[in-house]
Amino acid sequence: MSQQQLTMSALEAITFVKSEAAAIWELTAFLMPNIGSLPVIQTVNKGIGRAGSAWQRAGRIEINIAYICSHDCIEQHKNTIAHELAHIIVHRLYPKAKQAHGIEFRYIMGLMGYDGSTYHSMSRKEAKQAVTAINNSLLIDSI
């Protein structure tokens, strides 16, 4: 397996995700005050092809730092964070919405200033390489 090149450290990725999520939520809450409090923002380091997940009933999102650390596109990362937050908002405001990426979701994404039709993923091989690279960098940092 070849070495995955990281574009930022795990700590930088975690800090980026949490600060961007808070900023996106604050702006959206200004426009839609009834969305409630910021959901739990959890970062994970998983060898899966998914950049993020929303757990609507639990009120939390997961952002995969393997994706953040191995892709050098800040706007794409912001879109991923907004995408997962939009799922939480849709669940809170439109609990009977029929589709995960339906009209309500696209409306919220548009209000946030993002494209509701964009989805990001990476291959399982890329994800596993990124997880290994992150774990190796964490081991080196701890020495």
Side-chain angles (χ1 to χ4, degrees):
M1 186 182 300
S2 65
Q3 178 70 24
Q4 175 79 31
Q5 189 66 31
L6 300 179
T7 60
M8 68 173 78
S9 73
L11 182 58
E12 289 169 329
I14 292 167
T15 302
F16 169 80
V17 166
K18 297 208 181 245
S19 66
E20 284 302 319
I24 291 167
W25 194 266
E26 184 178 340
L27 176 61
T28 307
F30 177 77
L31 299 171
M32 301 181 82
N34 55 341
I35 62 173
S37 60
L38 178 69
V40 173
I41 311 301
Q42 186 174 22
T43 54
V44 296
N45 185 23
K46 293 183 176 179
I48 59 173
R50 207 172 316 134
S53 300
W55 304 93
Q56 292 96 326
R57 291 199 172 113
R60 76 180 162 88
I61 67 167
E62 286 183 355
I63 302 295
N64 191 357
I65 63 168
Y67 185 81
I68 302 291
C69 291
S70 61
H71 288 76
D72 194 20
C73 184
I74 297 299
E75 287 309 310
Q76 190 173 346
H77 300 332
K78 290 179 181 180
N79 191 81
T80 298
I81 295 164
H83 180 110
E84 302 312 334
L85 290 172
H87 282 301
I88 300 295
I89 295 169
V90 168
H91 178 72
R92 289 179 180 178
L93 298 182
Y94 309 103
K96 295 183 181 191
K98 301 266 187 242
Q99 298 176 332
H101 299 108
I103 192 166
E104 300 90 349
F105 175 83
R106 292 190 303 274
Y107 169 73
I108 298 295
M109 285 293 285
L111 191 67
M112 293 171 137
Y114 293 93
D115 178 7
S117 64
T118 306
Y119 312 104
H120 308 293
S121 63
M122 64 193 294
S123 73
R124 188 179 283 291
K125 180 179 177 184
E126 270 186 309
K128 287 182 178 181
Q129 288 174 343
V131 167
T132 300
I134 290 166
N135 289 342
N136 288 343
S137 73
L138 293 174
L139 288 174
I140 291 168
D141 290 344
S142 67
I143 295 177

